[in-house]
Amino acid sequence: MVAQSLASLLQRASIDDHEEVLQSCNAVLAKSKSDLKAQHIKVIALLKLDRYEEALKTFQSGGSALKQSAALEYAYASYKCGNLEQATEAVTQAAAGRGASHLEAQVRYRAEDFKRAAELYEQLSRDTTSHSHEINDLNINSWATDAQLQWKGEPEFVRHNRLSREDLESFETTYNAACLNIAKGEFKQAEVLLNRAQNICRTSEDLSPEDKAAELLPISVQQLYVLIQLGKLEEAEAVLKDISIDNISELSTKKIASNNIVLARQTAANPYILYKALHNTPDATKNDRLFDFQDRDIVGNSHAADLLVQKYDGVIRSTSRALSQRPTPSTDAATNLLSVYNAAAQARGQIGQKALSQIAPLLERRPTDLGLLLTVVQLYVGNGNTTSAITAIERTLRSLEESISETDQSVRFSPGLLSVLVSLYQLEGRKLQIRTTLAQAAAYWRSQPQAPASLIRAAAASLLHSEDRADLAAAGELFSTLHKQDADDRVSVAGYVASQATLNYAQVESQLDQLPSVSELIGDIDVSALESAGIAPSASSAAAAAAAFAGARKRAAGPDDRANKRVRKSRLPKDFDPAKKPDPERWLPIRDRSSYRPKGKKGKQRAAALTQGGPVSEKAEKAEESPAQQQKVGGSNAKKNKKKGKR
């Protein structure tokens, strides 16, 4: 009886009658709850009707047998309900096939495992002979994955660089390429591509008016963001007219659109209006939630608005609660930004030294909080106190070194944190500390499976400046490691040759052919132009030249400068006659001029006494003595020569 019902069910099943199929399945399952085929067909019908929650409940009631027989459907239902870990586990256990690869790529993309998603799309693109209808969809998804890789900070895995002619004929591919340019910070190119995508979508004959409106909305939202970044606020106002928040069905897109509209309208003049506008749209959930980099910015804007309306205690509570649920220490940007907003709330609107006095004590209680550490370092540097900033970082590094956790060690040698420390060392000219820090980091990362190439290259280049043969040998090993990772990297070859040339020239002589010749390097240099321009001075010589120039501006006037200097009429004497030659001794005091003739007896005596080489008069000497000196001498003699007499 059950078999006959199933046969009739399958005969009546059609792609347009999923509701009737569902009713027939329910009728069969009412008589036999454990009918695996009926359960499988019911799940498919529910997925076709977009009733994903009911499909997942059917899987839960059906048990492991149904999950194994319909593993692909179970993975898809879990994916649509936002259970990404469950979906990933199910799809990896499903039978291998092209459909499973497509679904896994979607699940990995939504779970932000973009590297694996890119690998899957690349594998699917290799075999398109028998699946030519998938080429366009695969191309669209590949561009979207590359944009996400760029946003996540993994540009080394991005595969697309240029748009082909076929790519420019599809508004989806053009839009995704614009997103990739936005992730790179190339907003002008993104603006051009978004305008093209918009025009292609509007003139498409394959889309209905309703579909066009739905596709144009996210393009307009992205245009708004680009125009804000370019500072084209008037054009952004025009784009606002094309965006209707109420018509956006996806909560994630609605949240982003609302955020950008608030910023475009510059409501920050009244922080309370800004606060209300940013908290109007509800948060997206499940499979419609924001990606991490989007959520980080939205949460950051929300906390910034809270600080503007002085909700300091609320920000402290919310950020502290969020930080308690995240692992620390961490190099995750979202986690560290929470620490920054927590510190800003602790400062309560103060800046500079006042803010530092409130925040610095927190670092003693949370020494491995990198977000808090970088906030303190920024405040120290802003006050011109780089030494204290270095001390704060070194104290945190020592705390991380004492930990036995492998995660803490990777944080301690993270390229971002060390780059801040090295930059501060450079400001104070601590070359030895720079070399030691980078060498320690390189020694750690060489033992790890995925070493950051940028840090290894910086460490190797720093060791090249050492005169120690051990440092040069270490630099050679680092450059050799980089060369093994990328055989086309000429920088690693050049560094290896430079490090070993003084140690063992015969060992690197064979690799010189891999380096470009001198003529190739200077082929496009205009020697004549360089000679005419002169030699650019170094920083020290430029500073000396600036000081010399400043001194030259303060030099004493020469003998001919006064004659050539124009004198204002207001400074000329009343009886000035331009035809008459001025007195050459007019700059000397009157008594020092050759025409000076003293008047009176005392004046003549003083003039005679001041005459160099003339006779000296005792009267003149006595006349020059002060009354106090005369009285002192006279009083002493009078007392000494006084005769004794009767009292």
Side-chain angles (χ1 to χ4, degrees), residues 317-569:
R317 286 194 300 269
S318 61
T319 53
S320 298
R321 183 169 57 252
L323 286 170
S324 65
Q325 300 172 357
R326 294 171 178 261
T328 54
S330 173
T331 57
D332 178 58
T335 301
N336 289 318
L337 277 175
L338 287 173
S339 297
V340 172
Y341 285 110
N342 182 276
Q346 298 280 358
R348 297 184 176 273
Q350 296 177 333
I351 59 175
Q353 187 60 40
K354 292 182 178 179
L356 193 57
S357 63
Q358 297 292 329
I359 300 173
L362 298 176
L363 190 60
E364 297 179 1
R365 299 195 295 268
R366 292 148 49 190
T368 59
D369 188 335
L370 297 191
L372 179 60
L373 169 66
L374 295 176
T375 304
V376 171
V377 168
Q378 180 66 35
L379 289 172
Y380 274 132
V381 173
N383 291 338
N385 191 353
T386 56
T387 303
S388 296
I390 292 173
T391 303
I393 298 179
E394 290 177 340
R395 190 183 302 117
T396 296
L397 295 182
R398 285 194 295 270
S399 299
L400 293 172
E401 284 176 357
E402 296 172 357
S403 174
I404 60 175
S405 171
E406 185 62 30
T407 304
D408 291 359
Q409 293 305 309
S410 64
V411 172
R412 187 255 180 266
F413 293 106
S414 61
L417 181 60
L418 293 184
S419 66
V420 175
L421 180 59
V422 168
S423 298
L424 293 174
Y425 280 152
Q426 288 177 337
L427 290 175
E428 295 200 348
R430 303 188 189 183
K431 297 181 180 180
L432 180 60
Q433 285 87 340
I434 293 174
R435 192 179 306 142
T436 304
T437 300
L438 292 176
Q440 291 175 349
Y444 168 79
W445 283 111
R446 288 186 66 190
S447 62
Q448 303 301 314
Q450 293 183 345
S454 58
L455 191 146
I456 299 296
R457 185 178 290 108
S462 176
L463 290 172
L464 281 178
H465 297 283
S466 174
E467 298 179 357
D468 191 345
R469 296 176 66 87
D471 289 342
L472 293 176
E477 293 177 2
L478 294 176
F479 279 121
S480 179
T481 303
L482 291 172
H483 183 61
K484 291 177 182 178
Q485 295 176 358
D486 185 4
D488 298 329
D489 186 7
R490 289 186 172 182
V491 175
S492 60
V493 177
Y496 180 73
V497 171
S499 63
Q500 302 300 307
T502 57
L503 301 178
N504 190 353
Y505 180 77
Q507 186 176 353
V508 298
E509 188 175 5
S510 60
Q511 298 185 0
L512 294 177
D513 295 336
Q514 300 181 30
L515 299 176
S517 62
V518 176
S519 58
E520 182 181 351
L521 292 174
I522 65 173
D524 57 346
I525 296 178
D526 189 347
V527 179
S528 301
L530 289 176
E531 289 181 348
S532 60
I535 300 175
S538 63
S540 58
S541 61
F549 178 71
R553 293 176 59 185
K554 297 180 181 179
R555 65 183 177 86
D560 298 331
D561 287 348
R562 286 195 176 95
N564 297 329
K565 185 176 180 181
R566 184 178 64 86
V567 183
R568 293 196 298 269
K569 291 183 178 180

Side-chain angles (χ1 to χ4, degrees), residues 89-283:
E89 183 181 357
V91 74
T92 52
Q93 294 178 356
R98 197 169 182 85
S101 296
H102 274 287
L103 179 56
E104 184 184 355
Q106 283 185 306
V107 174
R108 298 283 187 180
Y109 181 89
R110 185 64 262 186
E112 302 193 36
D113 187 0
F114 304 117
K115 182 180 176 182
R116 175 59 180 162
E119 292 173 354
L120 289 167
Y121 283 129
E122 187 175 16
Q123 293 173 6
L124 291 168
S125 300
R126 291 172 186 166
D127 182 20
T128 54
T129 305
S130 56
H131 304 87
S132 57
H133 59 285
E134 297 180 0
I135 295 177
N136 188 44
D137 290 341
L138 288 173
N139 202 23
I140 292 171
N141 292 342
S142 296
W143 274 99
T145 306
D146 279 353
Q148 294 288 2
L149 283 169
Q150 186 72 38
W151 261 313
K152 196 174 182 180
E154 299 178 332
E156 62 272 16
F157 301 115
V158 174
R159 290 168 170 79
H160 292 89
N161 292 319
R162 293 184 179 181
L163 283 162
S164 64
R165 183 175 299 178
E166 291 77 11
D167 294 334
L168 290 171
E169 293 176 357
S170 168
F171 75 88
E172 295 101 331
T173 311
T174 307
Y175 170 78
N176 288 339
C179 292
L180 178 57
N181 280 273
I182 293 173
K184 293 180 179 179
E186 300 172 355
F187 297 108
K188 291 185 178 180
Q189 181 65 20
E191 182 185 13
V192 174
L193 291 174
L194 286 172
N195 290 334
R196 182 179 180 85
Q198 195 174 52
N199 293 333
I200 296 173
C201 184
R202 284 174 176 169
T203 58
S204 175
E205 298 178 355
D206 300 330
L207 298 175
S208 64
E210 293 78 12
D211 292 337
K212 287 182 181 179
E215 296 289 353
L216 286 171
L217 263 176
I219 298 176
S220 298
V221 172
Q222 204 70 283
Q223 270 185 324
L224 181 62
Y225 173 75
V226 170
L227 292 172
I228 292 174
Q229 293 295 322
L230 292 174
K232 299 181 178 181
L233 298 182
E234 294 183 0
E235 296 182 31
E237 285 286 347
V239 173
L240 286 175
K241 300 177 182 178
D242 298 332
I243 300 175
S244 176
I245 298 293
D246 297 333
N247 294 335
I248 302 177
S249 58
E250 296 179 351
L251 279 177
S252 58
T253 306
K254 182 178 289 188
K255 189 79 174 177
I256 295 171
S258 176
N259 182 85
N260 291 348
I261 288 172
V262 169
L263 297 178
R265 287 176 176 166
Q266 297 181 319
T267 56
N270 189 329
Y272 296 94
I273 295 177
L274 175 65
Y275 171 83
K276 182 179 179 180
L278 287 177
H279 289 78
N280 270 343
T281 309
D283 295 330

